[in-house]
Amino acid sequence: MYPNDKHAQEKVSVTSTGIGGPSASIAMEELVQCGANTFIRVGTCGGIDLDMKGGDLIVATGAVRMEGTSREYAPIEYPAAHLRVRCGSTFLVAGNQERNALGMENPIVHDTEAAITVGVEAIRRLIRQDRESKAQ
């Protein structure tokens, strides 16, 4: 439970989905059946853009749908954001294989605290926005 004030609370679940689209899909389907409608993925990723270094944060607003799982839900032409639930992602860049291959500075970072902090703040904002829209 996320306490917004001393009288009202919102249910917030923290769920580990394992690795990859199929396991995330199973978890999300089960959570939707339980009433969940908003998902924020927090995790790590590798970088390929030379401007990204280990320790940088990425807040993803869309995705290239070439992993296989999402094609079971909608034609590949549909954008990743065309869903019946709210989804977002925040990732910690753990390292960048392209920078490494070019001999550039490539710090390897494993501390996910900043990515988690961004995810928690996103949840807080969504709860506030939902409450404000219900009050209108």
Side-chain angles (χ1 to χ4, degrees):
M1 300 289 261
Y2 168 70
N4 286 300
D5 60 48
K6 65 182 181 180
H7 300 293
Q9 295 184 338
E10 294 291 332
K11 293 180 181 177
V12 174
S13 174
V14 177
T15 305
S16 175
T17 63
I19 297 173
S23 62
S25 170
I26 292 166
M28 287 180 68
E29 284 191 24
E30 290 177 353
L31 290 166
V32 167
Q33 292 299 317
C34 293
N37 64 5
T38 302
F39 299 90
I40 298 176
R41 165 80 165 91
V42 176
T44 58
C45 68
I48 56 172
D49 183 317
L50 292 179
D51 291 333
M52 303 303 300
K53 290 194 277 187
D56 289 346
L57 290 180
I58 297 171
V59 177
T61 57
V64 176
R65 295 183 48 230
M66 297 300 291
E67 83 302 333
T69 302
S70 66
R71 283 180 267 167
E72 298 299 319
Y73 293 92
I76 197 66
E77 297 81 19
Y78 278 62
H82 186 63
L83 302 169
R84 293 183 184 164
V85 295
R86 296 183 294 187
C87 296
S89 299
T90 179
F91 297 104
L92 167 75
V93 177
N96 186 324
Q97 63 192 20
E98 300 301 324
R99 291 178 66 87
N100 190 57
L102 294 174
M104 298 172 73
E105 177 192 12
N106 185 35
I108 305 299
V109 178
H110 299 285
D111 183 357
T112 59
E113 182 177 350
I116 292 168
T117 300
V118 169
V120 168
E121 182 56 30
I123 292 168
R124 287 182 175 141
R125 288 182 183 190
L126 287 169
I127 290 171
R128 269 196 308 273
Q129 289 172 358
D130 287 350
R131 289 199 166 170
E132 288 170 3
S133 68
K134 287 178 184 174
Q136 293 178 357

